[in-house]
Amino acid sequence: MKIVITGGAGFIGSNLARALTRHPKVGEVHIIDNLATGYKDNLTDLPAHFYEGDVQDPGLLDEALSGADAVVHLAALPSVPRSLKDPLATHHANATGTLQVLEAARRAGNLHVIAASSSSVYGATPNLPKHENLPSAPLSPYAVSKLATEAYLGSYHHSFGLPVLPFRFFNVYGPGQRADHPYAAVIPKWISAALAGRPVPLHGDGAQTRDFTYVGTVCDVLVDAALRRVTSFRPMNLAFGTRVSLRELLAEIEIATGCRTTAHHLAPRAGDVRHSQASSERLRTAFPNVGCVPLREGVQVTAEWLRGTGR
Ligand code: NAD
């Protein structure tokens, strides 16, 4: 099998590339990434073909997708705050980029396209857990770009018969997720602060909740989806319904690092949702063999990685 990963030099993409290159049923892994937020050194020693370039380049997509069996489309400018700062850049990379990938998949003979949407599409919807039939109410340009991503996949299924699978990732964390940039996610940012003895920046009161998913679990689902060619034109949550408050997360980080922390209190962030928890019913039915790594174990492994790299 030949599988193409867009955004493969990023956090989730490079973990997926590692998992796929080790899989006996996968012969070739090809990666497209413009290194906007990814790092080439994430791919050091991986037997994968790397194309440095943009998913908005049809010629590059045609070259990479030629003879492929599936595309896992992860390329995007992530982060809600980044999209508030530059909504157009987010739209071009995430929405237009997805459209270009779908067009290329069509030209390549209707390839299987698995893509990353986000729990942010639920936005202001107050219901918990978030099940896929709830209306979407995006609060940020990033969330809108992800709604466009999943809607484009659905429309290409209906219009052109493209086999697709849009996943709604929740908060993914694990080794490879760096703390050393302005849009760092909460887990690496807090672990890194704890290890360095700095106060952890806490937006809001810390009672907001998130459904964290370990990156290895996300990759297990993505690999299984590509190999078994799982399709669904309706988006599917990729999280297991485990919900913790940020204060509980901080306690886990103290256990994992062995460091006491102090919080640096900041105003709540614009565009952030208050509570997040996935309904995992559809995921568990479609992927009965994938289990989820518990938060304590995942945070421990992540802390060890951050301690080792100093990132
Ligand atoms: P990441 O920033 O580490 O990875 C994204 C990758 O896409 C980077 O390597 C970046 O260089 C590349 N990229 C960006 N724009 C590109 C373009 N125009 N052309 C080619 N490559 C481009 O982020 P991640 O956390 O690994 O996220 C992967 C995907 O999952 C993204 O689509 C993101 O929106 C989605 N997602 C992530 C989370 C999470 O918690 N990490 C949650 C929800 C959704």
Side-chain angles (χ1 to χ4, degrees):
M1 251 186 129
K2 169 178 170 179
I3 299 181
V4 178
I5 309 172
T6 74
F11 157 52
I12 300 171
S14 57
N15 275 284
L16 178 64
R18 191 157 293 108
L20 284 171
T21 52
R22 284 181 187 152
H23 200 287
K25 289 193 178 151
V26 179
E28 288 179 53
V29 177
H30 291 231
I31 290 168
I32 302 177
D33 200 301
N34 68 357
L35 304 180
T37 59
Y39 302 86
K40 207 167 169 198
D41 64 12
N42 280 346
L43 303 172
T44 307
D45 299 332
L46 279 188
H49 190 101
F50 181 68
Y51 306 80
E52 183 172 341
D54 203 296
V55 287
Q56 293 172 82
D57 176 348
L60 183 69
L61 283 170
D62 285 345
E63 197 185 333
L65 268 56
S66 166
D69 298 285
V71 185
V72 184
H73 174 46
L74 303 174
L77 287 178
S79 142
V80 166
R82 185 195 296 270
S83 78
L84 300 178
K85 203 161 176 205
D86 193 346
L88 279 172
T90 294
H91 176 85
H92 293 318
N94 301 7
T96 310
T98 297
L99 195 51
Q100 290 284 11
V101 168
L102 290 168
E103 276 295 283
R106 207 153 77 86
R107 287 193 298 274
N110 267 14
L111 298 189
H112 185 204
V113 179
I114 300 163
S117 178
S118 155
S119 60
S120 63
V121 302
Y122 292 112
T125 314
N127 312 47
L128 284 179
K130 310 287 186 196
H131 64 77
E132 292 90 342
N133 292 337
L134 286 172
S136 47
L139 294 173
S140 65
Y142 170 73
V144 174
S145 75
K146 287 293 163 180
L147 193 55
T149 296
E150 58 180 54
Y152 272 132
L153 260 71
S155 76
Y156 267 61
H157 165 79
H158 291 297
S159 306
F160 308 114
L162 204 73
V164 296
L165 181 55
F167 276 120
R168 289 179 178 164
F169 294 178
F170 279 60
N171 287 70
V172 186
Y173 73 98
Q177 191 173 38
R178 296 171 65 140
D180 58 353
H181 62 91
Y183 301 109
V186 62
I187 290 187
K189 194 156 63 182
W190 283 7
I191 291 176
S192 163
L195 291 173
R198 295 190 307 268
V200 301
L202 174 60
H203 291 270
D205 59 7
Q208 58 270 50
T209 55
R210 295 290 179 267
D211 193 341
F212 292 102
T213 322
Y214 185 66
V215 68
T217 304
V218 171
C219 291
D220 287 347
V221 172
L222 293 173
V223 170
D224 198 25
L227 293 181
R228 287 195 295 118
R229 206 179 164 82
V230 178
T231 64
S232 162
F233 64 86
R234 287 168 51 214
M236 189 184 292
N237 291 337
L238 206 175
F240 287 79
T242 51
R243 182 163 78 109
V244 293
S245 72
L246 293 189
R247 290 204 175 278
E248 288 166 326
L249 172 67
L250 196 51
E252 290 297 334
I253 287 175
E254 290 192 344
I255 292 169
T257 58
C259 306
R260 294 280 301 162
T261 61
T262 52
H264 171 45
H265 291 277
L266 299 163
R269 288 195 319 189
D272 263 359
V273 300
R274 180 76 178 155
H275 294 298
S276 183
Q277 181 184 24
S279 157
S280 60
E281 223 177 294
R282 288 194 61 216
L283 180 79
R284 289 179 197 269
T285 304
F287 298 93
N289 298 326
V290 178
C292 82
V293 171
L295 184 69
R296 180 157 299 178
E297 189 182 325
V299 168
Q300 187 78 49
V301 176
T302 308
E304 275 159 30
W305 179 79
L306 280 161
R307 206 191 286 273
T309 60
R311 285 168 179 156

